[in-house]
Amino acid sequence: MSVLLSCTGLTMRFGGLTALDSLDMAVEEGDVLGLVGPNGSGKTTFFNVATGIYRPSSGKVLFQDEDITAKSPQEIYRMGIARTFQRSRLCLDLTVFDNIMIGNHKNLDFGIIHNLFKRRSFMAEYEDNLEKARSMLHALNPALAKRIHQPVGLLNMIDRRRVEVCRALVSKPKLLFLDEPSAGMTHDETRRLMDEVLAFSRADEKFTLVLIEHEMEVIRRTTNRCIVLNFGRKLCEGDYESVTADPFVQEAYLGTDL
Ligand SMILES: Nc1ncnc2c1ncn2[C@@H]1O[C@H](COP(=O)(O)OP(=O)(O)OP(=O)(O)O)[C@@H](O)[C@H]1O
Ligand SMILES: [Mg+2]
């Protein structure tokens, strides 16, 4: 498989704090890559830099061999990287469908004049998007697809997280970043959600996922490879067994009780 995303010498400083420190790493097509490390080790910062939210202090990010270091979040999203956020970004008063479409800017590009005067094509676009959102929800969880017109505020935690995942998936990304999907959920809910995401992703062997996760059991069950960060640097990488056998990882992050 070929390299989909890579970074070299990636450094992100916030004043005197170095959140990413000369990071070199690569994500291969078809990877389910676990990104782990202690609080503040730079995991979310990596997502923020790779999706164009922050411009790095130095270093480069390549996506499909194209330099995306200076591109805007919208450009990067259109190129095929979608993400979820560590803290929920749902509008609880809006419906499931509206929340999913908030993330789908690249397909709603008509502008107000078009929407005012071309009502028919706007409605056709609306129906088309509704169908896409419904089938995406259905692929993840059929019961949730039936609740597409309900406000998100009525949903439980796992359904809200499913909506966030659908919002990222509806753009048909080549690369999906999930930032701690287990936050606020039980072990069982996390396991169910990740099983659904993996079942969905297996339909496309090129589907590529980077998963930030503190729960090592989730990492063990879902990933084929892990990268461990510490102080913004890569501590080690490999499959779950080799990474967790590393004495530095045991000491720096995992503790000795694994
Ligand atoms: N916008 C910012 N301004 C200043 N400092 C920041 C900013 N974003 C991140 N940091 C700092 O950079 C470091 C890395 O933060 P980051 O959020 O990437 O860690 P993380 O590995 O995702 O941690 P966690 O597991 O707690 O989510 C932390 O010390 C954090 O306080
Ligand atoms: Mg984080």
Side-chain angles (χ1 to χ4, degrees):
M1 286 282 189
S2 56
V3 170
L4 186 61
L5 180 101
S6 63
C7 64
T8 44
L10 200 63
T11 300
M12 182 76 223
R13 288 189 204 92
F14 297 107
L17 189 143
T18 305
L20 293 176
D21 190 357
S22 304
L23 182 67
D24 296 334
M25 63 175 257
V27 184
E28 295 191 4
E29 216 172 55
D31 255 347
V32 178
L33 175 71
L35 194 57
V36 296
N39 294 119
S41 57
K43 304 178 300 293
T44 299
T45 303
F46 170 73
F47 277 8
N48 287 337
V49 171
T51 54
I53 292 177
Y54 297 142
R55 185 78 58 92
S57 312
S58 58
K60 257 190 200 179
V61 185
L62 300 185
F63 180 61
Q64 295 184 307
D65 297 326
E66 192 172 335
D67 189 341
I68 60 166
T69 321
K71 290 197 187 296
S72 69
Q74 289 76 15
E75 285 174 296
I76 293 172
Y77 175 77
R78 284 198 199 99
M79 290 174 75
I81 305 180
R83 69 177 293 183
T84 65
F85 291 87
Q86 188 164 358
R87 285 183 198 83
S88 172
R89 295 196 168 191
L90 295 171
C91 302
L92 298 185
D93 294 337
L94 296 183
T95 66
V96 169
F97 175 56
D98 289 339
N99 270 282
I100 289 174
M101 292 324 292
I102 288 170
N104 200 20
H105 320 289
K106 77 174 174 187
N107 295 328
L108 282 176
D109 252 359
F110 287 120
I112 192 159
I113 300 296
H114 178 100
N115 292 344
L116 281 175
F117 295 105
K118 300 270 172 102
R119 201 162 177 280
R120 196 170 298 163
S121 66
F122 179 75
M123 283 313 289
E125 182 76 9
Y126 173 87
E127 293 296 336
D128 187 43
N129 282 324
L130 184 59
E131 210 30 60
K132 273 190 206 139
R134 206 195 301 273
S135 76
M136 189 60 66
L137 281 168
H138 194 272
L140 214 57
N141 185 274
L144 184 56
K146 298 199 179 93
R147 304 183 71 181
I148 193 164
H149 294 303
Q150 290 188 12
V152 159
L154 295 180
L155 305 182
N156 63 17
M157 198 60 201
I158 184 169
D159 278 340
R160 291 182 191 188
R161 200 53 50 78
R162 285 174 175 130
V163 173
E164 291 184 274
V165 171
C166 275
R167 174 157 72 185
L169 286 177
V170 82
S171 66
K172 301 242 183 317
K174 299 178 180 110
L175 175 58
L176 176 65
F177 288 159
L178 294 182
D179 197 345
E180 257 190 80
S182 73
M185 297 207 296
T186 64
H187 292 297
D188 183 53
E189 286 172 331
T190 308
R191 193 173 46 74
R192 273 158 44 210
L193 179 77
M194 288 314 298
D195 283 351
E196 289 167 9
V197 173
L198 289 179
F200 173 85
S201 72
R202 280 193 196 107
D204 173 6
E205 64 170 22
K206 289 187 173 174
F207 186 85
T208 311
L209 174 66
V210 181
L211 169 68
I212 293 178
E213 190 47 71
H214 279 285
E215 295 239 10
M216 289 309 281
E217 181 54 19
V218 177
I219 294 288
R220 189 188 67 75
R221 289 185 78 245
T222 54
T223 64
N224 62 306
R225 205 160 67 83
C226 316
I227 290 180
V228 183
L229 295 186
N230 200 25
F231 296 113
R233 275 178 245 126
K234 188 164 65 182
L235 194 64
C236 63
E237 72 179 294
D239 62 17
Y240 177 85
E241 275 69 32
S242 66
V243 157
T244 51
D246 186 305
F248 291 104
V249 175
Q250 299 264 334
E251 192 186 335
Y253 176 44
L254 297 167
T256 48
D257 55 343
L258 265 171

